Amino acid sequence: MALRHEPTASYHSVQDALRVLETVARRSTGINETEIARDTGVGTERLTTLLRMLRREAYVEQIADGAYVTGTAFARLGSADGHRQALRDTLQRTLDRLRDSVGAAVYLSRYVDGEVRVTQYADSPATPKVNEWVDFRFSAHATAVGKSLLTQLDHEGRRDHLARHRPARLTSRTITSDRLLLSKLAAQPPTVPVLDLQEYAVGTVCAAVPLTAGSTAGCLALSLPLEHAHRLRRAADALNRNAAPVLLSLAI
């Protein structure tokens, strides 16, 4: 199985952010914005946006003279001791912030050893998570999470998954035809959120955007009750625009 590498806007943002972060990390006594721009080749306006994101996520901080140094989140993730827990904590804070900004339950999912796994999520009483009435591992054909992950696989990878997990009808909207599903997955643009409009559960709509980090397919998703379906595309676009911090944490 191979992954389709079609870089998204978030991917490009993360590549630039990593260059900025590496440049800051090399200068332990601090480096100003002009020097960062010169060393990285990142334009002033874009650099300002990236530094704002890196400060918000605590990867860099600004000291008294205005120079930038690495922040607490970078120190935690850069340490061999407790890296996994530090990553989980950092991702949870980012997911919590995304939940509040988009007004929906938010999920982080990976495709590991041929299976769909929701590894973390952020919900609240006002933004409840979807009721997993059918295990997500067996319902990739019907969920935004599953379809987003499958779009990142090559054709043979998708066929293999569907052969192991036969598409079952979960609602009247569920696609159960292999040929139709494979056709829709192949036609899905990588920059456009994948939608689930009551295909998994009646009364719930979802959207997902890809997060390909290294050799593992991943995605960021959200769910809304049907009465908020009018907000789905706007929330999905916001999720897409704000996916970079999650991808950055996975890349460090």
Side-chain angles (χ1 to χ4, degrees):
M1 180 193 75
L3 296 185
R4 298 165 65 200
H5 288 283
E6 299 182 62
T8 61
S10 291
Y11 175 86
H12 290 302
S13 292
V14 166
Q15 295 308 300
D16 287 343
L18 284 172
R19 280 171 31 217
V20 171
L21 192 51
E22 288 165 0
T23 299
V24 173
R26 285 198 299 268
R27 296 277 291 272
S28 59
T29 57
I31 181 172
N32 64 40
E33 196 163 335
T34 301
E35 292 171 318
I36 297 172
R38 183 194 63 209
D39 292 355
T40 62
V42 176
T44 303
E45 186 176 343
R46 181 164 180 75
L47 179 58
T48 299
T49 300
L50 291 173
L51 286 170
R52 187 183 302 121
M53 178 189 76
L54 290 169
R55 287 180 66 187
R56 186 180 67 239
E57 300 297 324
Y59 289 121
V60 302
E61 59 185 49
Q62 219 169 357
I63 54 180
D65 63 357
Y68 289 89
V69 295
T70 54
T72 55
F74 181 79
R76 285 195 300 267
L77 290 180
S79 170
D81 297 329
H83 174 85
R84 180 174 297 181
Q85 187 59 49
L87 174 59
R88 187 171 185 83
D89 292 345
T90 297
L91 286 171
Q92 192 60 53
R93 284 192 295 272
T94 302
L95 293 177
D96 289 346
R97 191 160 50 245
L98 279 173
R99 173 202 62 205
D100 295 341
S101 66
V102 302
V106 176
Y107 313 79
L108 178 62
S109 184
R110 311 295 295 277
Y111 194 76
V112 182
D113 297 329
E115 301 294 349
V116 172
R117 294 185 183 175
V118 174
T119 55
Q120 282 180 252
Y121 65 89
D123 67 346
S124 72
T127 56
K129 65 184 179 69
V130 67
N131 174 34
E132 189 179 351
W133 75 284
V134 176
D135 194 315
F136 288 143
R137 291 176 298 170
F138 310 133
S139 54
H141 63 291
T143 64
V145 161
K147 289 187 289 182
S148 180
L149 293 173
L150 291 178
T151 62
Q152 297 172 61
L153 308 183
D154 61 14
H155 182 71
E156 289 308 311
R158 294 173 198 152
R159 287 179 61 89
D160 171 72
H161 185 93
L162 296 177
R164 289 183 290 109
H165 299 300
R166 300 301 306 158
R169 186 171 300 282
L170 306 182
T171 76
S172 62
R173 293 174 176 264
T174 308
I175 297 173
T176 57
S177 162
D178 283 15
R179 185 170 66 177
L180 179 57
L181 183 60
L182 288 169
S183 175
K184 285 184 172 293
L185 293 173
Q188 174 69 32
T191 56
V192 177
V194 178
L195 303 182
D196 157 21
L197 304 177
Q198 300 189 90
E199 295 169 56
Y200 173 75
V202 174
T204 301
V205 294
C206 306
V209 297
L211 287 178
T212 303
S215 59
T216 303
C219 75
L220 194 58
L222 63 84
S223 65
L224 288 168
L226 184 59
E227 56 265 32
H228 292 284
H230 62 282
R231 294 201 294 115
L232 181 63
R233 291 188 184 275
R234 187 169 68 250
D237 289 340
L239 192 71
N240 207 3
R241 288 194 306 271
N242 292 283
V246 178
L247 188 53
L248 179 60
S249 297
L250 295 172
I252 292 176

